Amino acid sequence: MNRALLALCALALAVPAAAQDASGRWDVVVTTTQGQNQAVLVLKKDGEALTGTAVRPQGEPITVTGTQKGAEVVLSMTVPTEEGPLPVTMRGKQDGESMKGTITLGPEGQGDWTATRTAAPAAAPAGTSAVDLSGTWALQVVIESNTRTPTAVLKQDADKLTGTYKSQIGEAPVTGRIQGNEFSFQLTLTFDGTPVTIVYTGTVEENAMKGSVSAGDLASGTFTGKRQEAGR
């Protein structure tokens, strides 16, 4: 059997590798010589292009762009710091519900990263979200067995979220983003004279939401929410 025929037989018997799609919500752990840091990635794939946001425990969402060719993933973002903008590049491979690779943090050096997908995206028409978060949400937040009941009044414009957060501690403006039924928003409250950024990340289905909440290194927990009827 000649080489050409052998090649054709091999192609006929080959089983194509499963397509990889990094769309969804990912919990990311970055390890460098300075320790570990956590973030949440919300990604959407369109062809080979990746777009989305990265949310750190403290700070506003950061725009992420990149590519995915097969299992190979490359993500780029610019992180604001006290010393100025820091270019960050993440390279790695997806294996189903996990990803891992290396990260370059501008002149600050390199490290490693791992990610676990916590939710897949809901189908939605191009350029739209699966739901509209606009409205008043009664939240129930559980942190270390303590329950709080703040209220978030949200307004959605395309994939952007704005609004007001009201709690026993005070009120604060809200900013965030939504992709499909995946969302994140954050606000800053002052505790004993110290500003603390609180980040909510979760999913929404019609008039109910749920997810996780973090206050930097101070505390973390879970939350649920229900949309209130107009006039209530």
Side-chain angles (χ1 to χ4, degrees):
M1 186 179 295
N2 62 36
R3 291 184 179 181
L5 186 55
L6 284 172
L8 288 173
C9 290
L11 287 172
L13 295 173
V15 178
Q20 300 286 352
D21 187 341
S23 299
R25 179 184 183 277
W26 299 81
D27 286 347
V28 180
V29 177
V30 176
T31 304
T32 67
T33 56
Q34 298 179 351
Q36 288 189 336
N37 291 282
Q38 297 182 348
V40 173
L41 276 174
V42 180
L43 299 174
K44 179 181 180 182
K45 184 179 181 184
D46 184 4
E48 292 185 347
L50 291 174
T51 57
T53 57
V55 181
R56 299 173 295 171
Q58 292 185 348
E60 297 185 355
I62 299 168
T63 299
V64 176
T65 59
T67 59
Q68 182 173 31
K69 298 179 180 180
E72 301 285 342
V73 174
V74 179
L75 300 173
S76 299
M77 67 194 82
T78 300
V79 179
T81 71
E82 294 180 356
E83 291 75 26
L86 178 68
V88 174
T89 301
M90 301 170 64
R91 299 178 183 274
K93 289 185 178 181
Q94 180 185 356
D95 184 7
E97 303 303 299
S98 64
M99 292 192 291
K100 64 180 180 180
T102 59
I103 184 170
T104 303
L105 301 113
E108 295 190 6
Q110 296 183 332
D112 299 315
W113 63 277
T114 60
T116 302
R117 179 153 48 194
T118 56
T128 66
S129 295
V131 292
D132 189 338
L133 282 182
S134 298
T136 300
W137 294 84
L139 305 178
Q140 186 173 61
V141 181
V142 179
I143 298 178
E144 297 179 353
S145 300
N146 295 317
T147 301
R148 298 289 185 269
T149 55
T151 300
V153 180
L154 301 177
K155 179 181 179 181
Q156 182 174 331
D157 182 8
D159 65 344
K160 295 182 180 180
L161 298 174
T162 56
T164 305
Y165 183 90
K166 302 177 181 180
S167 71
Q168 294 89 337
I169 298 172
E171 296 187 12
V174 169
T175 59
R177 288 186 179 276
I178 180 170
Q179 285 189 320
N181 71 335
E182 304 277 340
F183 69 88
S184 65
F185 65 80
Q186 62 284 317
L187 57 124
T188 300
L189 292 175
T190 300
F191 295 82
D192 297 328
T194 302
V196 177
T197 298
I198 301 172
V199 179
Y200 283 79
T201 59
T203 58
V204 59
E205 293 184 7
E206 296 183 354
N207 296 316
M209 63 169 61
K210 62 181 179 179
S212 60
V213 58
S214 66
D217 298 329
L218 300 178
S220 61
T222 60
F223 77 93
T224 58
K226 292 185 178 181
R227 188 176 352 227
Q228 302 298 288
E229 296 179 4
R232 291 186 59 181

